[in-house]
Amino acid sequence: MRKLMECVPNFSEGRDEKVVEQIIDEVRKIEGITILDYSSDKDHNRTVLTMIGSPEQVKKAAIDSAKKAAELIDMSKHEGAHPRMGATDVIPFTPVANVTIDDCIEVAKEVGAEIGSWGIPVYLYEDAATKPERQNLAKVRKGQYEGFFEKIKEEEWKPDFGPQEMNTKSGCTAVGARVPLVAFNINLDTPNVEIADKIAKKIRHIGGGLRYVKAIGLKLEERNQTQVSMNLVNYEKTAVYQAFEMVKMEAKRYGVSVVGSEVIGTVPMKSLLDVAEYYLQVENFNINQILEKRLLDEQ
């Protein structure tokens, strides 16, 4: 049976389409890799790529695309709403079929070692983390690109691979292994980013909110709106609809409304089925009632 692994690298470029396409082209060259999705956001100044293939294929794709990003992106000139610390900011590997989280950890280490050999500091995070305090990406990335020039000198933040010195052009990169998550953003009809930030702090786990939610408030300059940007790291225990409803509830106290939401990259089917079941109040629904799933299962 074919082994399948997913990789979702995030690149710190979302405004220059030519640069983005050159990075994605490195993946297109690799036989057997399937690009499931890639999207760029000008306000975030970030591109998220979702690809799937065998462990060896995604390993090569991650390395080749990161190398091109290091060549084309200059972090000393980068500006954007989304937290970031490197040209290739994060590279998570996720098991899909006939691979384990341990397989993903092994690939993460191999990719991290290769990137480190280019003179770019690399941190392993989530299930690949070498220290408990490095499991949480937000802790690793705290201080962002600008703050890392001093942070990296601290012994506790010595990189897992690469030099203990910030790379001025490429920054540093986090490489990890994790279970599938849902990247879910909710847009608000206010330009006041303090409101979005207060809502994010209230709903995220670290602030006493939902157990499996990480959230930050961001400004969407082009839309004159703000956004609560979330990662649902376990959608089965904290559902998408729970996060959505809690943001709506907290927004009411500020007289703010939700004007839209978006999913970044791909999501597990069940995460959206839970939403449909909740809002439609569907009783005794079974995933095998979905036509496309039945057709795929019978192929």
Side-chain angles (χ1 to χ4, degrees):
M1 298 178 70
R2 189 183 179 194
K3 294 182 177 181
L4 290 176
M5 188 179 288
E6 183 184 69
C7 181
V8 190
N10 289 215
F11 305 103
S12 295
E13 177 56 68
R15 298 171 183 171
D16 190 328
E17 187 177 336
K18 291 182 179 179
V19 170
V20 172
E21 287 301 318
Q22 287 183 70
I23 294 170
I24 305 301
D25 277 343
E26 293 300 307
V27 179
R28 293 188 178 111
K29 295 174 185 177
I30 300 171
E31 187 176 351
I33 279 282
T34 299
I35 295 175
L36 298 176
D37 179 77
Y38 70 97
S39 58
S40 301
D41 187 288
K42 291 182 179 179
D43 287 310
H44 290 197
N45 199 7
R46 190 177 187 86
T47 294
V48 178
L49 164 67
T50 305
M51 55 188 175
I52 194 169
S54 70
E56 282 303 313
Q57 289 164 342
V58 295
K59 173 185 169 183
K60 178 171 173 52
I63 289 171
D64 291 356
S65 57
K67 196 164 200 173
K68 181 59 70 172
E71 174 189 327
L72 298 176
I73 298 172
D74 186 347
M75 288 303 296
S76 68
K77 301 176 182 177
H78 184 273
E79 294 180 350
H82 199 286
R84 78 288 182 268
M85 61 184 188
T88 301
D89 195 51
V90 296
I91 309 176
F93 294 93
T94 301
V96 176
N98 304 309
V99 296
T100 66
I101 195 70
D102 287 337
D103 295 327
C104 293
I105 292 170
E106 185 60 32
V107 171
K109 289 179 178 178
E110 291 171 356
V111 170
E114 175 63 25
I115 294 174
S117 72
W118 308 337
I120 298 174
V122 174
Y123 294 88
L124 297 173
Y125 76 105
E126 288 281 0
D127 288 332
T130 54
K131 300 178 181 180
E133 59 269 26
R134 296 187 182 185
Q135 288 182 317
N136 189 335
L137 177 61
K139 286 187 177 180
V140 175
R141 195 161 52 193
K142 188 175 182 179
Q144 300 194 51
Y145 169 81
E146 292 80 4
F148 250 95
F149 285 87
E150 290 302 318
K151 179 178 178 179
I152 201 170
K153 296 176 183 178
E154 300 172 16
E155 189 58 31
E156 65 179 303
W157 289 107
K158 182 179 180 180
D160 292 296
F161 301 104
Q164 193 173 359
E165 181 180 357
M166 190 61 163
N167 186 304
T168 302
K169 182 183 178 186
S170 300
C172 54
T173 297
V175 185
R178 58 165 170 75
V179 296
L181 60 74
V182 176
F184 182 54
N185 300 333
I186 297 177
N187 299 337
L188 307 172
D189 66 348
T190 175
N192 188 345
V193 73
E194 288 185 12
I195 292 176
D197 196 46
K198 286 179 181 178
I199 294 170
K201 288 178 179 177
K202 192 73 174 178
I203 70 164
R204 65 194 183 199
H205 176 237
I206 197 171
L210 297 169
R211 174 64 181 86
Y212 295 98
V213 170
K214 298 177 181 179
I216 56 173
L218 302 175
K219 183 73 178 287
L220 303 179
E221 296 285 356
E222 287 201 341
R223 299 188 184 189
N224 197 34
Q225 297 173 352
T226 51
Q227 180 180 87
V228 178
S229 179
M230 296 175 285
N231 278 342
L232 279 59
V233 298
N234 189 327
Y235 65 88
E236 293 184 328
K237 294 184 178 179
T238 298
V240 174
Y241 67 78
Q242 290 177 301
F244 186 74
E245 289 297 328
M246 191 167 181
V247 170
K248 283 205 310 182
M249 180 179 70
E250 289 298 323
K252 282 183 180 179
R253 73 166 68 195
Y254 303 104
V256 169
S257 298
V258 169
V259 293
S261 65
E262 62 179 352
V263 171
I264 304 299
T266 59
V267 294
M269 183 188 302
K270 189 177 184 303
S271 67
L272 298 184
L273 287 180
D274 288 343
V275 175
E277 285 186 69
Y278 176 79
Y279 286 111
L280 298 178
Q281 298 182 21
V282 179
E283 296 181 4
N284 303 316
F285 185 78
N286 188 295
I287 195 170
N288 289 314
Q289 290 178 254
I290 297 175
L291 175 62
E292 290 82 357
K293 185 178 186 302
R294 288 291 294 276
L295 292 174
L296 287 171
D297 287 346
E298 292 175 9
Q299 286 183 358

